[in-house]
Amino acid sequence: MGRYQAVDRDSVLDAAESIVRTRGIAALTIDAVAKAAGISKGGVQSSFGTKDQLIAAMYERWGTEFYAEISRLVGEDPSPMARLRAYIEVTYRTDKAEGDRAAGMMAALLNAPEYLKQFHQWYASQLDGIDVSTPEGRRARLAFLANEGIFMLRTFGFMKVSEREWREIYADIRGLLDDADGRKT
């Protein structure tokens, strides 16, 4: 009788993300993930169940890692502006590998409409607590939207952005936040 071997969930998720990033969401199958992770199809299924549950686990891990970094930066100031400032800082610090990972996850999202509702809610909540009826709140909203726009343009390769331009754009975005937060720039 064979000995049961524990499946390393993170390794399986790494394999799944690699498939999405390099070959697209259409290539993500339980069989492809099993081969990439070097385990049986049953091993993937026993850990994640279905392909949809695997995708959900990928999003969950991605979000957990992202929010852990935001929480670290926010520290003792959980105000909406501090949270937004940390969110933008984490986005700015995203390296090429993490950007590729994010692009792969976002591409998967577009092909999984059942997850779009969660992202609609997530995006709607990003400005919770910021009064967008005020000039400061509108600047904060503009900073958030600029952050998302430049990140997606660069990550998906729709716009070439040099490192110098990346720094300059984020300095401008931080300036909008400083104006929204009453800080001197």
Side-chain angles (χ1 to χ4, degrees):
M1 183 188 290
R3 188 163 187 226
Y4 174 75
Q5 230 178 352
V7 173
D8 180 354
R9 286 177 56 93
D10 282 326
S11 293
V12 176
L13 291 173
D14 289 344
E17 287 178 8
S18 178
I19 290 167
V20 170
R21 192 172 50 251
T22 59
R23 298 187 295 181
I25 188 67
L28 184 69
T29 64
I30 296 291
D31 189 50
V33 172
K35 286 178 183 169
I39 61 174
S40 71
K41 214 171 144 176
V44 175
Q45 290 172 318
S46 70
S47 295
F48 297 99
T50 66
K51 176 181 168 179
D52 285 343
Q53 291 169 321
L54 174 64
I55 291 170
M58 291 165 59
Y59 284 123
E60 184 179 325
R61 179 174 78 159
W62 183 42
T64 298
E65 292 170 0
F66 190 79
Y67 280 111
E69 184 62 15
I70 289 172
S71 293
R72 188 186 70 73
L73 290 175
V74 167
E76 299 296 316
D77 181 7
S79 71
M81 285 301 291
R83 188 183 72 241
L84 181 58
R85 189 175 296 283
Y87 175 88
I88 288 172
E89 185 61 29
V90 170
T91 304
Y92 168 69
R93 292 179 185 180
T94 300
D95 63 14
K96 172 104 172 83
E98 189 60 28
D100 288 348
R101 179 183 183 205
M105 296 299 292
M106 286 185 265
L109 169 68
L110 295 175
N111 289 294
E114 61 275 13
Y115 295 108
L116 278 176
K117 183 177 179 183
Q118 293 172 6
F119 273 80
H120 290 159
Q121 292 168 343
W122 179 85
Y123 266 110
S125 74
Q126 293 312 295
L127 297 173
D128 280 353
I130 295 176
D131 183 358
V132 295
S133 70
T134 67
E136 296 80 14
R138 286 192 297 278
R139 281 191 288 277
R141 178 176 57 192
L142 185 59
F144 172 73
L145 294 172
N147 174 75
E148 293 303 283
I150 192 60
F151 177 77
M152 288 186 194
L153 287 170
R154 184 181 193 220
T155 299
F156 281 104
F158 296 143
M159 183 177 175
K160 296 287 183 196
V161 179
S162 71
E163 286 303 314
R164 180 186 57 77
E165 290 171 314
W166 185 248
R167 285 189 305 273
E168 289 172 352
I169 290 167
Y170 272 91
D172 291 342
I173 291 170
R174 287 184 194 110
L176 281 172
L177 277 182
D178 289 346
D179 289 347
D181 210 11
R183 295 182 184 195
K184 294 285 183 191
T185 52

